[in-house]
Amino acid sequence: GNVQILFKKVPTKKGTRVKSHKAKRKKTDVDKAIQLRITNAKRRGTLDLSFQRLHHFPAEFFELTDLRTLTLNSAGLAHLPEMSVFSALTELRLVKNKFDAIPVQVCDIPSLTELDMGNNMITSFPPEFGNLTQLRELYMYVNYLTELPDTFSRLTALVVLNVAHNELREFPNSLSHHLCNLSQLKVSGNKLEALPE
């Protein structure tokens, strides 16, 4: 009887050990994949870490000071690290993450010309958002925005604005006068009582 019980227990232990080893190896593979993409980004000036669950950003990430395009879609992010080192960054994509606010760190990248934060849970813009005066394209579709703040009047370079499927009740007419370069505006799926003139 004792032999049988012992025999039953051994595979269970072994199975557990193999499983944890697999999990460990899998995490290492993910880290290696991230490191490889970061290494390649040094040459290309563009980095895509979409679908990687980023619990922390490796030190090498912050050495990419010449990075022009950064894509972190579906990466499970709710926060961003310090971003001011990316002074050459022009395109930032943070689609389908867990942001409930626009990180202030985004506003520390005045070189941005395109920002895509569609499919998050964002309710408002920080006051510092007006610092992004070079922004030409802004995608904020499928969020929970209730208003477009006065700081938007500083975004005079804006050509494309997509705020479809939010909770907007009005589009301030004063904003239309400031955004004189705007050629594409998407506001469908909101609670607007009147369309902007």
Side-chain angles (χ1 to χ4, degrees):
N2 284 346
V3 177
Q4 249 184 335
I5 292 167
L6 186 65
F7 191 71
K8 278 180 185 172
K9 278 185 178 177
V10 171
T12 315
K13 274 186 180 173
K14 197 175 175 185
T16 309
R17 195 158 55 241
V18 169
K19 195 177 175 185
S20 68
H21 179 67
K22 259 188 186 173
K24 198 173 182 182
R25 192 172 66 222
K26 196 176 176 188
K27 187 187 183 308
T28 310
D29 288 348
V30 168
D31 288 347
K32 277 183 184 168
I34 290 171
Q35 294 288 1
L36 185 63
R37 289 184 193 193
I38 288 173
T39 304
N40 290 338
K42 286 177 183 172
R43 288 184 292 110
R44 296 177 184 160
T46 176
L47 176 63
D48 188 344
L49 293 178
S50 298
F51 303 103
Q52 304 290 335
R53 284 288 178 257
L54 295 165
H55 302 296
H56 72 282
F57 289 85
E60 294 86 346
F61 174 74
F62 301 99
E63 293 168 12
L64 300 174
T65 50
D66 295 330
L67 203 62
R68 294 184 305 278
T69 303
L70 176 59
T71 305
L72 300 168
N73 297 339
S74 300
L77 295 171
H79 307 282
L80 282 181
E82 178 60 50
M83 301 289 281
S84 57
V85 291
F86 304 111
S87 54
L89 199 66
T90 56
E91 295 174 22
L92 178 60
R93 302 186 185 103
L94 300 164
V95 177
K96 212 169 186 182
N97 279 289
K98 296 176 179 177
F99 294 106
D100 56 10
I102 293 176
V104 178
Q105 291 89 335
V106 169
C107 307
D108 290 336
I109 318 170
S111 53
L112 277 185
T113 59
E114 181 186 320
L115 175 62
D116 191 343
M117 291 195 73
N119 263 300
N120 278 283
M121 298 171 283
I122 297 163
T123 56
S124 62
F125 292 89
E128 299 87 349
F129 198 76
N131 297 347
L132 302 178
T133 53
Q134 293 188 49
L135 210 56
R136 290 173 54 81
E137 297 179 35
L138 176 59
Y139 302 94
M140 296 295 298
Y141 51 90
V142 194
N143 274 290
Y144 295 96
L145 296 170
T146 54
E147 63 174 356
L148 301 178
D150 294 339
T151 48
F152 254 60
S153 60
R154 295 174 60 196
L155 308 179
T156 52
L158 215 54
V159 176
V160 177
L161 175 58
N162 185 341
V163 286
H165 301 285
N166 275 280
E167 304 286 322
L168 297 174
R169 293 188 178 278
E170 64 166 350
F171 190 98
N173 278 331
S174 58
L175 222 50
S176 339
H177 302 309
H178 290 291
L179 306 181
C180 47
N181 289 307
L182 201 63
S183 62
Q184 195 181 115
L185 173 63
K186 293 192 176 178
V187 291
S188 59
N190 278 284
K191 298 175 177 177
L192 294 174
E193 288 167 19
L195 287 172
E197 290 173 13

